Amino acid sequence: MELCSITGLKGKVKVPGDKSISHRCVMFGSIAKGTTEVHNFLKGADCLATIRCFRTLGIEIEEKDSVVIVHGKGLHGLSAPSDILDVGNSGTTTRLLSGILTGQPFDSKLSGDESLNSRPMKRIIEPLTQMGANITSILRNGCAPLYITPGSLHGIHYESPVASAQVKSCLLLAGLYAEGDTSVTEPTLSRNHTELMLREFGADIRSTHALDSTRATASITPGGELYGQKITVPGDISSAAYFIAAGLIVPDSEILIENVGINPTRAGILKVCEDMGGDITLLNERTEGGEKIADILVRTSRLHGTTIEGDIIPTLIDEIPVIAVMAAVAEGTTVIKDAAELKVKETDRIETVTDNLKSMGCRVTPTDDGMIITGGKLKGASIHTLLDHRIAMAFSIAALVADGNTRILDSKCVDVSYPEFYDTFEQLL
Ligand code: S3P
């Protein structure tokens, strides 16, 4: 994809359904009794991998445009897979599905692409093993491919060293098949879609917050069945983030992004944009299926640097590449700290973001847990995405304000979370 600088992005856009919520609709729908009807489902490669895995586990799933109908078979209705479960590029599929599979009376194997198979799985293998699960890394390197055989699960209390919704959700899902309660405490609250949605499906699940710290605990009591639901997936704030950034940094722009999920455990980017001086207005705020939603109006603004650290990090972890791009054209210096988790995403995003910003002429220093960026003028460059969808999209926004042309290599990787990304952009020209 070849891009150049522009001005005056104007109009309305709708972003596709939320990736985290779309995954969960298929997973929870598959192990619920009855039908789950999902509207505005994200048909990105990651969520399609989840559909593919549950079909391999014997669940009938219909797809009609952006509606997906899952014919759930109840908690004990999955059948032994005839094949290895192909999780593609998707960490959410791998970790949440592993939690479910440890409670099944059959063997299964999960494997993904090169990036997925190099991401850390010890973070789920260890606590699942404490619960009595039989789950191993086939190559004994702490990564997928994973091999899971039947185990007898018992609930545990787990103090997670990382704020990770994937770890938390994995254990809560295994907890559905365990004897006794399972609870997970995390250092700061990560996205809580599992807690909100499992409750809608009828699970006995609770969330508590420590009053004297940022620590948060989610607990589940097994026993009951889950029941199919009708769900409309809100627009993905992680996809909206690219239009928020474009609206703020491209001169003479005004963009209305409709129907975006603004769950507080996901909406840290809005606070950061405000801190940077961004002109952002939330309109039409409402709540559906326990999730907060709004339309977001963005206008071109003079941005200045800020510090992003502490408990806001999990609420914007996937948006850091595009926040870094905004920082690269803002006045002054931006410091991003406490974000070492960036190293274990689809790529090492401390490296991919800082290397690509450097090639665009930005003054940026990678650190152990983030980066320091001094804003200025960017110049066009060849962007090495390393097949990371968020790097491709973030640097497509950088290209819109850079001098000269920018080439996004392997830009097709946007299909992972946002197949229509470039088409939606054209609506604003
Ligand atoms: C996700 C959780 C986050 C996020 C990922 C989606 C989820 O990962 O980065 O894109 O759907 O639960 P971690 O739980 O590893 O932080």
Side-chain angles (χ1 to χ4, degrees):
M1 176 68 58
E2 186 102 15
L3 298 160
C4 62
S5 72
I6 50 164
T7 57
L9 289 173
K10 298 230 174 265
K12 279 187 204 170
V13 289
K14 271 204 172 82
V15 290
D18 187 274
K19 180 156 82 70
S20 293
I21 296 179
S22 294
H23 279 299
R24 287 161 172 79
C25 290
V26 171
M27 295 186 185
F28 304 170
S30 295
I31 57 169
K33 280 194 163 160
T35 302
T36 290
E37 189 179 311
V38 191
H39 293 258
N40 200 35
F41 181 85
L42 167 63
K43 291 218 163 155
D46 268 16
C47 298
L48 294 175
T50 293
I51 290 188
R52 186 170 62 229
C53 289
F54 279 90
R55 282 185 177 143
T56 310
L57 291 161
I59 302 296
E60 188 194 334
I61 301 173
E62 297 173 64
E63 292 176 60
K64 298 173 188 156
D65 302 320
S66 67
V67 180
V68 164
I69 298 173
V70 183
H71 296 277
K73 291 192 173 169
L75 275 177
H76 301 282
L78 299 177
S79 35
S82 49
D83 208 346
I84 190 157
L85 295 160
D86 176 7
V87 293
N89 190 244
S90 176
T92 306
T93 312
T94 312
R95 297 197 177 107
L96 274 62
L97 179 56
S98 295
I100 294 174
L101 289 173
T102 54
Q104 305 306 316
F106 50 75
D107 295 0
S108 47
K109 280 186 189 152
L110 281 92
S111 186
D113 67 13
E114 204 183 313
S115 148
L116 187 283
N117 285 354
S118 66
R119 295 179 66 183
M121 293 300 150
K122 258 197 198 143
R123 54 178 60 197
I124 58 162
I125 294 174
E126 282 178 4
L128 285 172
T129 305
Q130 284 175 32
M131 290 178 77
N134 292 317
I135 172 168
T136 49
S137 157
I138 292 175
L139 302 177
R140 297 181 192 283
N141 60 356
C143 300
L146 299 174
Y147 180 44
I148 298 170
T149 60
S152 167
L153 302 184
H154 53 85
I156 57 166
H157 172 68
Y158 187 61
E159 295 274 337
S160 179
V162 281
S164 161
Q166 292 180 0
V167 171
K168 171 176 63 179
S169 305
C170 166
L171 301 182
L172 293 172
L173 287 166
L176 285 171
Y177 297 93
E179 200 166 312
D181 289 7
T182 295
S183 54
V184 183
T185 296
E186 41 185 354
T188 55
L189 180 63
S190 64
R191 65 191 66 193
N192 63 355
H193 305 300
T194 294
E195 295 92 304
L196 296 178
M197 200 190 293
L198 272 182
R199 190 169 305 135
E200 297 282 315
F201 273 80
D204 183 357
I205 186 163
R206 300 156 307 278
S207 313
T208 50
H209 247 101
L211 288 174
D212 54 343
S213 79
T214 57
R215 282 152 48 90
T217 301
S219 323
I220 196 159
T221 302
E225 277 285 348
L226 306 180
Y227 294 95
Q229 299 293 308
K230 185 171 172 188
I231 301 165
T232 301
V233 181
D236 196 330
I237 191 163
S238 299
S239 299
Y242 305 105
F243 295 99
I244 293 174
L248 292 177
I249 67 177
V250 171
D252 194 26
S253 298
E254 181 168 324
I255 306 177
L256 181 68
I257 314 156
E258 293 177 311
N259 193 38
V260 183
I262 54 158
N263 177 322
T265 64
R266 295 287 301 283
I269 185 173
L270 300 177
K271 162 94 176 42
V272 165
C273 289
E274 234 175 71
D275 289 350
M276 295 178 82
D279 179 351
I280 292 191
T281 314
L282 295 187
L283 304 166
N284 203 9
E285 283 185 59
R286 56 212 185 264
T287 301
E288 281 170 30
E291 294 283 351
K292 281 189 167 180
I293 301 168
D295 301 335
I296 303 177
L297 179 66
V298 197
R299 297 194 188 91
T300 307
S301 309
R302 256 183 91 124
L303 299 183
H304 52 78
T306 186
T307 296
I308 308 168
E309 62 184 332
D311 57 353
I312 198 171
I313 293 291
T315 72
L316 49 68
I317 189 78
D318 292 343
E319 289 66 74
I320 289 180
V322 78
I323 290 173
V325 165
M326 290 193 284
V329 294
E331 224 173 276
T333 299
T334 294
V335 180
I336 302 175
K337 298 191 222 180
D338 303 322
E341 277 293 297
L342 288 173
K343 292 183 188 164
V344 292
K345 296 296 175 187
E346 286 82 333
T347 56
D348 174 343
R349 287 184 179 154
I350 295 185
E351 203 172 280
T352 39
V353 167
T354 57
D355 284 355
N356 283 307
L357 279 180
K358 273 183 199 157
S359 71
M360 295 187 86
C362 174
R363 279 168 55 201
V364 54
T365 312
T367 63
D368 274 353
D369 64 350
M371 59 196 82
I372 301 165
I373 302 165
T374 302
K377 189 75 200 133
L378 297 179
K379 60 176 169 60
S382 276
I383 299 302
H384 296 268
T385 61
L386 306 186
L387 299 175
D388 184 335
H389 56 133
R390 302 215 182 276
I391 299 299
M393 292 187 276
F395 281 87
S396 295
I397 305 305
L400 304 180
V401 292
D403 283 338
N405 288 356
T406 294
R407 267 187 77 199
I408 311 287
L409 302 176
D410 300 310
S411 58
K412 187 90 180 94
C413 64
V414 303
D415 283 0
V416 162
S417 64
Y418 197 166
E420 315 85 16
F421 176 69
Y422 291 108
D423 300 331
T424 307
F425 240 107
E426 281 185 12
Q427 294 169 23
L428 294 171
L429 299 177

